[in-house]
Amino acid sequence: MTSTSDDLATFIVVANRLPVDRVVNEDGSIDWTTSPGGLVTALEPVMQRKGGAWIGWHGAPDETVEPFHHEGYDIVPIPLSAQEVTEYYEGFSNASLWPLYHDCVVDPEFHREWWDSYRTVNTRFAEEVAKRAAKNATVWVQDYQLQLVPRMLREARPDLKIGFFLHIPFPPIELYQHIPWRGELVDGLLGADLIGFQTPGAAHNFARLAHHRDGVTGPDDSDDIATLSDGRVVKIKDFPISIDARGFHELASSPQVHQEAEEMRTELGNPSTIIFGVDRLDYTKGLRQRIRAIGELFDEGKLDQEDCVFLQLATPSRERVEEYKILRNDIDLLVGRINSASDTLARPRIAYRHTSVPRSTLAAMYQIADIMIVTPLRDGMNLVAKEYLACRDDDNSALILSEFAGAALELDEAYMINPYDIDGMKATIMKAINDSPQARAQKMRAMRQQVFAHTIDDWADSFLTELGE
Ligand code: ADQ
């Protein structure tokens, strides 16, 4: 671990979490390893080229970690107290904003102390950026946990170029108005020069709100620029995020992953059809609906458990938030019920794992998945759908995709479902299984082309180019 350079940074990424995980070695010494993820892969070269810094929380409450230099750029940890984790992160970010921005699929809770904590933590982030940014530096703020940072920074450092990208959906004005502090949040975002969203619909929802703020003119349907009362211009635009498609493809093509895939298929009993789902265990991902639909298909004999397995992997997520505890119990119960109705001891209908796996294991799972099923009730983009396409070697496979995922706009050749319509979903699952190889291949080819033509690098480049202009 080396200390940070004394130079101020000309490019800064600000996100709730740092791009590194702490590893404690056997001798008690500490290392930091880069967390695998598209965002880090895309931004690392920019940070190294420009002399950058990444500012974010290191993941341990009540602990201060000194800044350090890592893989060519500076890592600046922001401390959070245990109470702030409860109020700012689990509370306002994940029990107020997250459900509200996902169409209120569960009821958002609003508490004034959560909001106070959100403001306090956003202020801490903004102050750290203001201290570390070189004159005229570019700052890119990420996601819903930090929506007040752009305005706070603008006030402290008017020389900076400030971009903001929202990874999750942005809701319609009718839902947004529920938030007691809606005006402050919108003004927070309007501190940026460029505000990016996953889809044109999300950008449009925000533009409608911005338009209602005092002194803001535009944007209207024909233009993506809002002009504030002081004459400053804010661009509002969609930048659909993507993945490192070539990286995923190379990984999936490696002999080790092929071997792992073969062993997995054997372990699952060599069924002729494997249906696969992988998600963070989150109520927005439509897991209850998906499992119910597949369970009914087994009960009705349309799926034969001698011949078909549903493999579902769920990453543990936000486990202290009440709705996530309820979801975990519901899924355990649902899977248990469906498997206990099985008429053979040999193989479960659903192979369910509640765990995170290494990227290579995930790539092996994509390889054995004849049918990939992605059913969110609402999702900003959904990278799983894109990763599946990048990992496939053959065309005799199928992607079932919710029309409520941002990815549905680009991947419109998928077998599209409405996750609220269980019968419709069941019919589409059977169609995806029974369609002709030609029909499936034509869809897979079109979607793969789309994923390889629009990668995470293109996403980062287009955002930063627009911000620089
Ligand atoms: P998420 O809601 O986390 O992201 P998603 O886009 O699907 O949803 O990304 C999940 C990532 O975690 C994928 O890269 C996937 O491979 C990985 N993953 C999931 N389960 C895993 C497991 N068990 N083991 C290992 N890896 C696992 C948010 C928004 C999305 C948006 C992204 C990026 O909610 O809409 O697409 O940010 O902007």
Side-chain angles (χ1 to χ4, degrees):
M1 212 154 94
T2 52
S3 56
T4 52
S5 60
D6 294 334
D7 296 341
L8 297 175
T10 59
F11 180 64
I12 295 182
V13 173
V14 198
N16 175 59
R17 284 302 294 268
L18 287 172
V20 286
D21 296 317
R22 179 165 32 192
V23 187
V24 183
N25 301 315
E26 274 176 12
D27 63 0
S29 62
I30 285 174
D31 279 330
W32 293 86
T33 56
T34 306
S35 356
L39 195 60
V40 190
T41 317
L43 296 180
E44 236 172 26
V46 191
M47 318 247 310
Q48 285 161 359
R49 203 169 55 238
K50 291 193 169 193
W54 190 305
I55 296 179
W57 181 43
H58 47 80
D62 285 329
E63 202 183 307
T64 301
V65 178
E66 287 306 310
F68 57 95
H69 199 68
H70 172 83
E71 308 278 342
Y73 57 96
D74 287 343
I75 297 282
V76 183
I78 297 285
L80 294 184
S81 68
Q83 192 176 348
E84 284 165 347
V85 175
T86 306
E87 295 182 346
Y88 142 80
Y89 180 68
E90 294 168 345
F92 195 71
S93 297
N94 287 326
S96 309
L97 293 176
W98 178 269
L100 190 119
Y101 280 37
H102 288 86
D103 284 359
C104 294
V105 296
V106 312
D107 285 339
E109 278 181 57
F110 298 111
H111 299 289
R112 282 165 287 185
E113 58 279 16
W114 289 2
W115 166 250
D116 290 342
S117 179
Y118 185 84
R119 206 200 266 127
T120 304
V121 172
N122 273 244
T123 307
R124 189 173 309 145
F125 272 82
E127 282 172 357
E128 192 62 44
V129 181
K131 211 166 73 187
R132 293 197 169 258
K135 192 160 171 51
N136 301 324
T138 297
V139 179
W140 193 358
V141 186
Q142 309 285 327
D143 231 1
Y144 62 103
Q145 303 92 347
L146 300 175
Q147 290 173 95
L148 301 178
V149 169
R151 155 80 26 140
M152 292 170 168
L153 260 185
R154 170 77 48 208
E155 280 163 9
R157 290 288 305 269
D159 58 301
L160 300 178
K161 267 250 184 270
I162 305 168
F164 179 93
F165 184 77
L166 186 72
H167 290 258
I168 67 174
F170 195 87
I173 195 166
E174 292 74 10
L175 290 180
Y176 205 84
Q177 303 293 50
H178 295 184
I179 306 175
W181 310 279
R182 62 204 182 191
E184 207 171 319
L185 282 167
V186 174
D187 288 347
L189 291 172
L190 286 171
D193 296 292
L194 172 63
I195 310 173
F197 296 90
Q198 300 275 26
T199 62
H204 177 75
N205 286 344
F206 179 76
R208 261 186 81 202
L209 258 174
H211 191 70
H212 281 79
R213 297 299 295 156
D214 278 351
V216 175
T217 50
D220 58 31
D221 283 344
S222 60
D223 129 46
D224 52 17
I225 285 176
T227 308
L228 311 191
S229 52
D230 59 3
R232 198 168 59 79
V233 155
V234 181
K235 284 194 248 176
I236 298 162
K237 232 182 133 169
D238 63 297
F239 296 88
I241 200 165
S242 193
I243 57 162
D244 173 15
R246 274 174 290 277
F248 265 101
H249 185 75
E250 270 166 34
L251 177 66
S253 313
S254 71
Q256 294 87 329
V257 168
H258 276 291
Q259 194 187 330
E260 195 174 348
E262 215 152 282
E263 286 164 7
M264 246 180 231
R265 196 174 253 287
T266 309
E267 203 181 324
L268 288 169
N270 266 319
S272 56
T273 306
I274 296 175
I275 305 173
F276 178 45
V278 53
D279 315 76
R280 267 188 316 97
L281 189 54
D282 194 295
Y283 52 76
T284 60
K285 303 291 181 184
L287 277 154
R288 291 184 178 98
Q289 290 78 352
R290 180 190 316 171
I291 295 171
R292 198 166 297 139
I294 293 179
E296 287 184 18
L297 288 172
F298 277 117
D299 286 343
E300 293 161 9
K302 293 185 176 134
L303 292 179
D304 175 4
Q305 80 181 85
E306 295 296 327
D307 221 26
C308 174
V309 168
F310 172 36
L311 171 62
Q312 174 66 52
L313 195 65
T315 321
S317 183
R318 305 175 190 165
E319 292 187 291
R320 293 184 348 153
V321 179
E322 191 54 30
E323 284 295 337
Y324 290 76
K325 290 184 197 161
I326 296 172
L327 177 69
R328 180 166 181 201
N329 288 336
D330 282 2
I331 299 298
D332 284 351
L333 208 67
L334 209 50
V335 171
R337 241 185 236 154
I338 292 166
N339 279 341
S340 63
S342 163
D343 37 21
T344 159
L345 294 176
R347 180 194 289 164
R349 293 172 169 187
I350 305 180
Y352 174 59
R353 294 288 172 278
H354 178 243
T355 181
S356 187
V357 296
R359 196 167 267 233
S360 54
T361 301
L362 188 59
M365 288 177 170
Y366 287 137
Q367 285 254 313
I368 60 166
D370 304 294
I371 309 284
M372 183 78 211
I373 185 159
V374 179
T375 59
L377 306 175
R378 179 60 72 194
D379 213 334
M381 177 55 59
N382 194 287
L383 299 181
V384 162
K386 295 186 172 186
E387 290 167 4
Y388 175 65
L389 294 164
C391 285
R392 296 301 301 182
D393 283 333
D394 71 336
D395 288 332
N396 197 14
S397 44
L399 172 66
I400 297 171
L401 180 60
S402 163
E403 61 192 68
F404 303 124
L409 289 177
E410 295 166 279
L411 306 178
D412 57 355
E413 292 277 347
Y415 290 91
M416 221 54 98
I417 53 114
N418 167 1
Y420 293 99
D421 172 9
I422 303 282
D423 285 338
M425 178 157 33
K426 284 161 65 183
T428 305
I429 293 170
M430 294 317 296
K431 182 170 166 50
I433 292 174
N434 294 323
D435 245 0
S436 71
Q438 294 84 340
R440 286 156 52 124
Q442 184 260 327
K443 286 171 172 293
M444 284 300 285
R445 275 200 289 269
M447 290 189 288
R448 265 217 310 262
Q449 226 165 34
Q450 157 69 33
V451 168
F452 281 94
H454 299 93
T455 67
I456 183 81
D457 290 334
D458 301 321
W459 170 80
D461 287 350
S462 60
F463 187 96
L464 291 173
T465 306
E466 185 87 40
L467 181 59
E469 270 166 7

